[in-house]
Amino acid sequence: MATRPLFEDDDAPLPGTPLAERIRPRTLDELVGQDALMGPGRPLRQALESGALHSLILWGPPGTGKTTLARLLATIAGADFVQFSAVTSGIKEIKEVIAAAERRRVDRGRRTILFVDEIHRFNKAQQDAFLPHVEAGTIVLIGATTENPSFEVNSALLSRSKVYVLQPLPPEDIVTILKRALADETRGLGAYHVRAEEPALLALAVYANGDARTALNALEQAVTSLKPSDDGTRVLDQPTLAALIERRALLYDKSGEEHYNLISALHKSIRNSDADASIYWLARMLEAGEDPLYVARRLVRFASEDVGNADPRALDLTIAAKDAVHFLGMPEANTALAQAVTYLAAAPKSNAVYVAYGAAARDATQDLAEPVPLHLRNAPTGLMKELGYGRGYRYAHDEAEGVADMSCLPPHLEGRQYYRPTDRGLEGKIKDALERAKALRRK
C-alpha cells in the first residue's frame, strides 16, 4: 500500500527507478494509445472532463497503461491517489486505507481514489469489504486486472463499477513511446545520445507484443549495454538488438481466458477448413507452453464432433497424434499435432454424430424411460424365455438383405430419427446405406 505523489512533484525519480516508471505520462497530452477510451469525445475522457468520476475496472493485458490511467484520473480529478496491491494486502490494510480516506473526506473535503492493482487476486470477502465505502462515496475504486472481470470480480462490486477494456498497444504506438524515452534527458535516456534505427525500434515494438513496459525495459537494457563511439553517440541497430533481447514471451495463461480464447480460435479455424489459420493458432498455443496432450485431446474430440463419419480416418489420425505426443514429447511432437490439424482442416465436415447424440441424450434423460422391448432382451434362463424375453426377435444375418423388418426403439419413440447424415465425404455413402436399411425394415 502506498500513497503516490502527484506528477508535478515527481520530476526527480529515485536512483534505480526503471525507465518504464520514470517516464509514465503526467498529462493526457503525454498519453499514447487507448484512443478508444481517452480520445476526444470518448467515454472515459468525457467522464473526466465533466468531473463525473466513478468507480471503474480497467481490464487489459500487462503494460497497456492501467496504472498510468489511474494516476492520471486522480491528478485531473484533484483527488488523493492511494495505490493498493491485492498481492500483498488483506482486510486489515483495507480497513486502514478506508479510515484514512474518511479522515481526508471529513477534514479536507478531498476525495480518495483507491487504485487496487490485480484486483482479481482478492477473494470475495476482500472484494465485499470495499462495497459500503464505494456506495457511501468514501472512495472512488479503480481496479486493474489482466483477467476477465466477469469471472474474477464479484457481481456486487462489478454492478457498482464501469468496466473499461484496454487493448494491447500497436507497434506504432510503442515506437512513439520508445522515441520519447530516447529523447527525454530528464526522465528518459536522452543523456546516452542514442541513434536508434527505425527498423530496430519497430522490431523492439513487435517483440514487446503490445506491452509498453516490456518494450521500455528491453530498450533500457539495450541502451545501457551499448558502447559509445568516439563522438559519444551510441547506435542501436537490429543486429545489436537481436543479440540483447531474448525470445519474447507470448501472453498466455493456461488456466485463464487467453487459454480458452486460443483453443476456441483453433477449433473454429479447423471447422472452417482454414489450414493456415489452424496451424497458426496451434503454434501460438504450443510455443506459449500449452500442454500438448490438452491440444491432442481437443483434436480427438474435434474428429468426432466436427468431422465424424464424413471421414472416419480423422479419429484414427488424431489418436495417432495423441500417441505421438506421449511417445515423443515436445518439441518433436509438434509436427504430429500439425499434421492432425491440417488433415482435420482439409477433411469433409459433419456434425451429424454430435447432433444425434445430443438429441438422443435429451430423450434418454428427459423423456419417459420405457422398458427395453421384449424382443430386444436377452433370455439366458428358462424363466426369462417363459416371460417372453427375446420373443419375436429376428436375427439380421438370417435375412436375405441382412436387415430384419423389426423396430428397435421403444414404442413411443417409434420413427424418431436422431442421426441425420450429410452428403459430405464418406458420410454420403453411410446415408445411402442407412436409407436402404430403413426401407427394408418397412417392407
Side-chain angles (χ1 to χ4, degrees):
M1 178 182 67
T3 302
R4 304 293 308 217
L6 295 178
F7 292 105
E8 57 264 32
D9 299 325
D10 200 22
D11 284 337
L14 295 173
T17 303
L19 176 63
E21 182 68 22
R22 299 200 306 268
I23 67 161
R24 282 189 189 277
R26 296 170 295 177
T27 67
L28 285 179
D29 291 336
E30 291 183 2
L31 189 67
V32 177
Q34 307 305 339
D35 293 339
L37 295 181
M38 297 300 293
R42 295 299 182 175
L44 189 51
R45 184 157 188 156
Q46 282 185 324
L48 268 177
E49 293 173 345
S50 66
L53 191 58
H54 51 270
S55 292
L56 52 96
I57 304 292
L58 299 174
W59 171 30
T64 52
K66 297 185 291 295
T67 302
T68 294
L69 265 180
R71 292 190 189 181
L72 284 174
L73 295 178
T75 302
I76 295 167
D80 286 342
F81 180 79
V82 178
Q83 186 164 341
F84 196 80
S85 173
V87 176
T88 58
S89 306
I91 294 291
K92 176 177 178 289
E93 289 79 9
I94 292 175
K95 290 180 178 178
E96 292 173 355
V97 167
I98 297 301
E102 288 176 340
R103 288 195 298 271
R104 280 191 291 271
R105 189 183 184 196
V106 172
D107 297 343
R108 295 187 287 151
R110 284 182 64 86
R111 290 184 297 175
T112 297
I113 287 182
L114 178 59
F115 176 64
V116 182
D117 197 17
E118 299 190 86
I119 193 171
H120 60 275
R121 293 183 181 271
F122 273 141
N123 61 36
K124 185 180 184 299
Q126 291 169 317
Q127 291 183 25
D128 284 344
F130 292 119
L131 284 175
H133 308 291
V134 169
E135 292 175 337
T138 305
I139 58 170
V140 175
L141 178 67
I142 300 181
T145 178
T146 57
E147 303 294 331
N148 190 327
S150 302
F151 307 133
E152 303 297 340
V153 178
N154 72 45
S155 57
L157 191 57
L158 202 57
S159 68
R160 292 160 176 80
S161 307
K162 172 72 173 174
V163 176
Y164 293 99
V165 181
L166 282 72
Q167 302 296 334
L169 297 176
E172 56 269 23
D173 283 350
I174 292 184
V175 168
T176 298
I177 293 170
L178 295 175
K179 287 181 176 179
R180 286 187 181 180
L182 289 171
D184 191 325
E185 294 194 6
T186 302
R187 296 183 295 143
L189 301 170
Y192 286 89
H193 306 293
V194 178
R195 180 168 59 82
E197 296 181 357
E198 193 75 20
L201 292 179
L202 183 58
L204 184 51
V206 172
Y207 160 83
N209 202 33
D211 184 334
R213 186 185 300 108
T214 293
L216 289 166
N217 289 343
L219 179 68
E220 184 171 35
Q221 176 192 355
V223 166
T224 54
S225 65
L226 292 173
K227 292 184 178 180
S229 60
D230 292 340
D231 63 359
T233 62
R234 291 170 167 83
V235 176
L236 181 62
D237 54 20
Q238 275 189 291
T240 304
L241 184 66
L244 291 172
I245 61 177
E246 299 176 353
R247 181 176 179 271
R248 79 175 181 189
L250 294 171
L251 175 62
Y252 197 63
D253 179 354
K254 286 190 280 186
S255 62
E257 187 191 13
E258 193 66 7
H259 164 83
Y260 297 105
N261 287 343
L262 285 173
I263 194 61
S264 176
L266 174 61
H267 198 133
K268 290 170 182 174
S269 298
I270 301 173
R271 179 182 291 149
N272 204 42
S273 300
D274 189 334
D276 296 310
S278 301
I279 204 163
Y280 169 76
W281 295 119
L282 172 69
R284 277 280 298 271
M285 296 185 78
L286 295 181
E287 294 302 313
E290 178 57 82
D291 178 2
L293 279 174
Y294 170 77
V295 178
R297 285 194 297 271
R298 299 312 306 163
L299 296 181
V300 171
R301 168 70 181 192
F302 185 96
S304 291
E305 179 179 337
D306 284 276
V307 176
N309 286 328
D311 185 353
R313 293 170 297 182
L315 185 57
D316 293 337
L317 185 63
T318 52
I319 292 294
K322 179 266 298 181
D323 290 342
V325 171
H326 272 297
F327 182 65
L328 291 173
M330 289 294 289
E332 288 83 358
N334 56 13
T335 52
L337 292 172
Q339 181 181 352
V341 161
T342 50
Y343 185 93
L344 291 172
K349 305 299 190 295
S350 171
N351 70 342
V353 170
Y354 172 74
V355 172
Y357 184 82
R362 282 191 296 274
D363 279 353
T365 56
Q366 299 174 17
D367 206 340
L368 176 66
E370 282 192 278
V372 175
L374 287 173
H375 67 279
L376 294 180
R377 300 189 193 186
N378 194 25
T381 69
L383 176 61
M384 288 178 169
K385 289 176 182 177
E386 290 176 13
L387 293 174
Y389 282 36
R391 186 179 302 153
Y393 173 66
R394 294 172 60 178
Y395 190 50
H397 291 291
D398 291 339
E399 304 294 327
E401 299 289 340
V403 178
D405 181 9
M406 176 181 65
S407 174
C408 296
L409 278 170
H412 82 288
L413 294 177
E414 181 61 38
R416 190 69 56 94
Q417 183 178 358
Y418 298 111
Y419 180 44
R420 299 178 182 273
T422 69
D423 294 317
R424 294 188 287 273
L426 182 63
E427 197 164 45
K429 295 182 178 180
I430 293 173
K431 178 180 181 181
D432 292 341
L434 292 177
E435 287 178 349
R436 287 195 301 272
K438 184 181 293 186
L440 289 168
R441 288 197 302 272
R442 290 173 179 167
K443 282 185 178 180

